[in-house]
């Protein structure tokens, strides 16, 4: 029985590249496919795949909504809080001021 060799291809800077790509996606709206709207009628463009991968809430909402570019109204969410949430999902961290909460 012939044995075949197994090759492992590894991208040495994969994690750094993903982090950089997420940062670029967060600041640019070229490929955004979801709009998040909050109380003050502010909105943030986001990416379904990022929201889906990082949040069970968004995963559930987006599974139920098959629209090509859904608009999700984040009831009682302030603009700065929504921005912090999205920053957290894209970057794994967010900066908020204690006096704001």
């Amino acid at each position: 029985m012939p044995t075949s060799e197994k090759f492992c291809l590894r991208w040495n800077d994969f994690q750094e590249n993903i982090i950089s790509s997420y940062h670029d996606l967060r600041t640019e709206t070229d490929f955004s496919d979801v709009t998040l709207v909050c109380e003050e009628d502010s909105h943030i463009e986001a990416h379904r795949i990022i929201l889906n991968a990082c949040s069970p809430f968004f995963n559930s909402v987006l599974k139920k909504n098959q629209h090509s570019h859904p608009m999700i109204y984040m009831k009682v969410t302030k603009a700065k809080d929504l921005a912090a949430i999205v920053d957290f999902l894209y970057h794994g961290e967010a900066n908020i001021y204690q006096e704001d909460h």
Side-chain angles (χ1 to χ4, degrees), residues 11-23:
W11 187 346
N12 290 335
D13 297 326
F14 179 77
Q15 290 177 329
E16 292 81 8
N17 187 309
I18 291 295
I19 290 168
S20 175
S21 294
Y22 276 26
H23 177 75

Side-chain angles (χ1 to χ4, degrees), residues 7-90:
F7 295 96
C8 177
L9 301 175
R10 182 173 301 262
W11 187 346
N12 290 335
D13 297 326
F14 179 77
Q15 290 177 329
E16 292 81 8
N17 187 309
I18 291 295
I19 290 168
S20 175
S21 294
Y22 276 26
H23 177 75
D24 293 345
L25 286 172
R26 175 67 177 100
T27 57
E28 311 230 351
T29 59
D30 292 336
F31 298 105
S32 65
D33 55 359
V34 176
T35 301
L36 304 174
V37 182
C38 63
E39 261 188 354
E40 297 100 3
D41 289 330
S42 294
H43 69 277
I44 294 178
E45 298 294 321
H47 302 86
R48 177 187 315 255
I49 193 159
I50 304 292
L51 299 179
N52 181 46
C54 299
S55 166
F57 168 77
F58 285 119
N59 179 297
S60 175
V61 169
L62 292 168
K63 278 184 180 178
K64 293 174 188 170
N65 187 331
Q66 297 299 315
H67 192 275
S68 62
H69 192 118
M71 184 173 286
I72 302 172
Y73 182 65
M74 304 296 292
K75 194 169 146 179
V76 301
T77 304
K78 296 177 183 176
K80 60 186 165 190
D81 293 336
L82 182 58
I85 290 167
V86 174
D87 283 345
F88 183 77
L89 296 176
Y90 278 78

